[in-house]
Amino acid sequence: AELSGGREAGAGGDAPPRAAMSESSMTALVEALPATLSVGGTSIPNGVRITWSERADRLSFHAEMVEPEDPSVSLNDAGAISIDVLSGERNLQIRLQLFSEIDSAKTRWYATGRGISFELTKLRVGRWGALVAGVTPATIKVDWSQYMDEDEEREAKLYPNGYDIYKMRGAMGKDWGSNISQELAAQRQLQAINTSQPDDEDEEIACF
């Protein structure tokens, strides 16, 4: 018989929860990095904060921690990332199950005195809207300093070197930039009334 709260009735009514997974088996599952991690595949130690941002074809994230030493990173195309690192006097184990698949061969990561940063390439183009699968932990935040919405990203691709000045001039009317035109016209006029020649010798002027 099924009881409320998902427990089964047994002798004395104290049956253990169903499908309980021991901590050791969960650790072995994570370290094996199979194609798909089970629910709970993302775990972030206390004191570690992760910020992230994305584009249609890639994403980046930074795991913030104090003076990371000897980091060890493993990952696969299914988006399972394992980070083992010494920070201060703590051995940290960070496990992430990303929202979708990545091209692990194109991954770039580096460590600084403030944490470990990752640059990842998505296996399929498209926005994720979240860094990890399932419920996002409170320690994962969007990096708003690097945030770019889809319209801004499309605009950046159209104008990788900035705005097109000629299109801006056309959109703002014929008088846009007229001060520059007037200055050039004044310079041409000055040259026209200057009767001196480049090869003319300078006259000597005697002062008494």
Side-chain angles (χ1 to χ4, degrees):
E2 185 75 19
L3 300 179
S4 61
R7 299 170 66 92
E8 293 182 354
D14 287 326
R18 295 175 301 163
M21 181 175 289
S22 67
E23 183 177 353
S24 60
S25 61
M26 176 63 77
T27 301
L29 176 65
V30 171
E31 290 179 349
L33 288 177
T36 303
L37 290 180
S38 63
V39 174
T42 292
S43 62
I44 303 172
N46 292 332
V48 176
R49 189 173 73 107
I50 293 179
T51 56
W52 77 288
S53 62
E54 70 170 328
R55 302 292 184 267
D57 59 343
R58 64 190 187 279
L59 71 145
S60 62
F61 73 86
H62 176 74
E64 184 178 327
M65 66 192 71
V66 178
E67 297 292 341
E69 298 180 24
D70 301 324
S72 174
V73 175
S74 59
L75 68 164
N76 60 27
D77 287 351
I81 300 180
S82 174
I83 307 169
D84 294 273
V85 61
L86 177 65
S87 175
E89 297 181 353
R90 300 173 62 198
N91 289 311
L92 303 180
Q93 294 182 335
I94 303 171
R95 304 291 185 259
L96 301 177
Q97 175 58 57
L98 299 182
F99 183 83
S100 190
E101 297 171 312
I102 59 172
D103 188 344
S104 58
K106 296 181 179 179
T107 297
R108 299 291 180 268
W109 65 272
Y110 59 91
T112 67
R114 301 179 63 181
I116 306 175
S117 297
F118 286 78
E119 298 288 338
L120 306 169
T121 299
K122 297 178 180 178
L123 204 58
R124 288 179 293 274
V125 174
R127 292 270 176 158
W128 289 2
L131 177 64
V132 297
V135 178
T136 299
T139 49
I140 296 180
K141 303 291 184 182
V142 173
D143 184 354
W144 294 109
S145 67
Q146 300 297 322
Y147 178 80
M148 182 180 290
D149 63 27
E150 294 183 64
D151 291 337
E152 292 171 330
E153 183 178 0
R154 191 178 304 112
E155 191 173 84
K157 289 181 178 179
L158 289 174
Y159 308 117
N161 297 318
Y163 290 102
D164 189 324
I165 190 171
Y166 298 104
K167 289 185 178 181
M168 288 180 64
R169 181 173 183 175
M172 299 181 71
K174 65 179 182 179
D175 293 330
W176 185 85
S178 59
N179 58 330
I180 300 177
S181 300
Q182 292 173 2
E183 183 177 348
L184 293 176
Q187 292 179 1
R188 288 194 295 269
Q189 184 178 3
L190 180 62
Q191 293 173 357
I193 63 176
N194 184 3
T195 58
S196 63
Q197 301 297 323
D199 296 332
D200 288 348
E201 294 182 359
D202 294 335
E203 294 183 0
E204 294 184 1
I205 301 176
C207 299
F208 300 94

